[in-house]
């Protein structure tokens, strides 16, 4: 078995179940790669998981003032530190598609508590998809066996968020529109998924579009914050 990040062989004893049913052997990281990523733990903002806050952070207070009718709640797994930035660079920008499986165990554990939710990954524009060759969010969800719904599309090929400073990200215009499938989300729970939450602008734009279709609830999720 190879580590799902560094691709080095993992040497460990298999369980009896794994020996009898090899398909139960899940993708995993080696000990060194496990240690590289810092999981978000308390204290953290209760509405966006920003580390270091015991109450709603200033950013969330600003978003609440801008979207008073949106009872938002964002959850993330890891801190967006140098180790995670390095993983994003290798996976998303250098196109190492194997890394879609890096966080399968954590993703599956999180989604085990989201039964009945409609999951929608943040879409790429056609131009960006052609350039990259894959949607990095859709890919890590599919690797974890998470079924998704195409509720949004992105027609505008905007400058990547990673190339903008904070003020430019916050000032970015709306780039999403709903697909025909969005008509089916009334009174249903929708979970929007992105790879990283920095300012929150992308996810709030996405939620803004879907809110008009009267879902019961919209929440958001990312691997890192």
């Amino acid at each position: 078995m190879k580590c799902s990040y560094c691709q080095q062989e993992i040497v460990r004893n298999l369980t009896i179940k794994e020996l009898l049913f090899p398909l139960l052997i899940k993708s995993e990281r080696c000990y060194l790669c496990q240690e590289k990523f810092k999981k978000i733990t308390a204290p953290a903002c209760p509405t966006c998981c920003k580390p270091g806050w015991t109450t709603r952070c200033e950013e969330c207070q600003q978003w609440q003032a801008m979207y008073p009718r949106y009872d938002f709640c964002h959850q993330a797994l890891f801190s967006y530190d140098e180790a995670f930035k390095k993983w994003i660079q290798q996976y998303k920008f250098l196109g190492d598609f194997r890394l879609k499986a890096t966080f399968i165990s954590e993703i599956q554990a999180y989604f085990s508590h989201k039964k009945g939710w409609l999951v929608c990954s943040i879409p790429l524009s056609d131009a960006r998809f052609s350039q990259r060759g894959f949607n990095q969010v859709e890919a890590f969800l599919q690797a974890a066996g998470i079924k998704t719904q195409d509720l949004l599309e992105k027609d505008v090929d905007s400058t990547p968020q990673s190339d903008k400073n904070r003020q430019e990200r916050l000032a970015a215009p709306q780039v999403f529109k709903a697909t025909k499938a969005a008509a089916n989300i009334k009174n249903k729970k929708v979970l929007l998924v992105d790879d990283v939450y920095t300012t929150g602008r992308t996810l709030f734009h996405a939620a803004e579009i879907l809110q008009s279709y009267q879902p019961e609830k919209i929440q958001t999720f990312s691997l890192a914050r």
Side-chain angles (χ1 to χ4, degrees):
M1 178 192 306
K2 291 185 178 181
C3 171
S4 57
Y5 183 24
C6 71
Q7 306 300 314
Q8 297 299 310
E9 290 292 337
I10 297 176
V11 179
R12 69 169 177 83
N13 293 325
L14 296 177
T15 66
I16 294 177
K17 278 190 176 181
E18 289 173 331
L19 289 171
L20 294 175
F21 306 100
L23 291 178
L24 293 178
I25 300 175
K26 296 182 178 180
S27 176
E28 61 183 83
R29 299 188 299 281
C30 66
Y31 175 77
L32 291 177
C33 289
Q34 285 279 9
E35 293 297 302
K36 288 179 180 178
F37 301 101
K38 181 181 178 183
K39 291 186 177 181
I40 295 175
T41 57
C45 173
T47 49
C48 79
C49 283
K50 184 176 183 179
W53 290 78
T54 56
T55 58
R56 181 173 289 187
C57 70
E58 292 180 357
E59 293 176 28
C60 285
Q61 293 177 43
Q62 293 170 356
W63 284 123
Q64 190 66 77
M66 189 178 298
Y67 294 97
R69 297 183 180 179
Y70 175 26
D71 186 21
F72 66 94
C73 176
H74 180 81
Q75 293 181 299
L77 300 177
F78 301 97
S79 294
Y80 188 47
D81 54 15
E82 289 305 313
F84 202 92
K85 290 177 182 177
K86 184 176 180 180
W87 177 82
I88 279 284
Q89 175 68 17
Q90 188 176 347
Y91 172 51
K92 182 176 177 178
F93 299 110
L94 297 181
D96 190 343
F97 193 63
R98 297 172 300 176
L99 299 190
K100 65 181 181 177
T102 303
F103 305 108
I104 281 182
S105 295
E106 290 87 355
I107 293 170
Q108 289 178 336
Y110 172 79
F111 278 91
S112 68
H113 302 289
K114 290 294 180 181
K115 302 297 184 182
W117 287 68
L118 301 179
V119 180
C120 175
S121 59
I122 293 298
L124 301 179
S125 66
D126 289 342
R128 186 72 60 201
F129 185 88
S130 296
Q131 179 188 55
R132 189 170 297 159
F134 65 99
N135 180 323
Q136 75 281 358
V137 180
E138 189 74 18
F140 69 63
L141 288 173
Q142 288 180 349
I146 308 302
K147 183 180 179 181
T148 60
Q149 306 284 326
D150 294 327
L151 304 178
L152 295 167
E153 58 186 17
K154 183 179 181 182
D155 284 339
V156 181
D157 183 26
S158 56
T159 303
Q161 293 288 78
S162 58
D163 293 340
K164 301 175 184 177
N165 60 36
R166 179 175 177 79
Q167 293 306 315
E168 289 172 332
R169 294 182 185 193
L170 290 172
Q174 177 63 264
V175 293
F176 300 115
K177 68 179 184 180
T179 65
K180 292 181 179 179
N184 300 319
I185 69 172
K186 185 175 181 179
N187 297 327
K188 295 181 180 179
K189 297 177 181 178
V190 177
L191 185 66
L192 291 167
V193 182
D194 206 354
D195 48 9
V196 176
Y197 181 116
T198 49
T199 63
R201 179 70 278 181
T202 298
L203 286 166
F204 275 91
H205 267 156
E208 180 181 4
I209 294 297
L210 295 183
Q211 269 192 301
S212 61
Y213 291 86
Q214 300 179 305
E216 177 187 337
K217 185 181 296 185
I218 296 178
Q219 291 187 358
T220 57
F221 169 78
S222 64
L223 290 180
R225 169 72 170 100

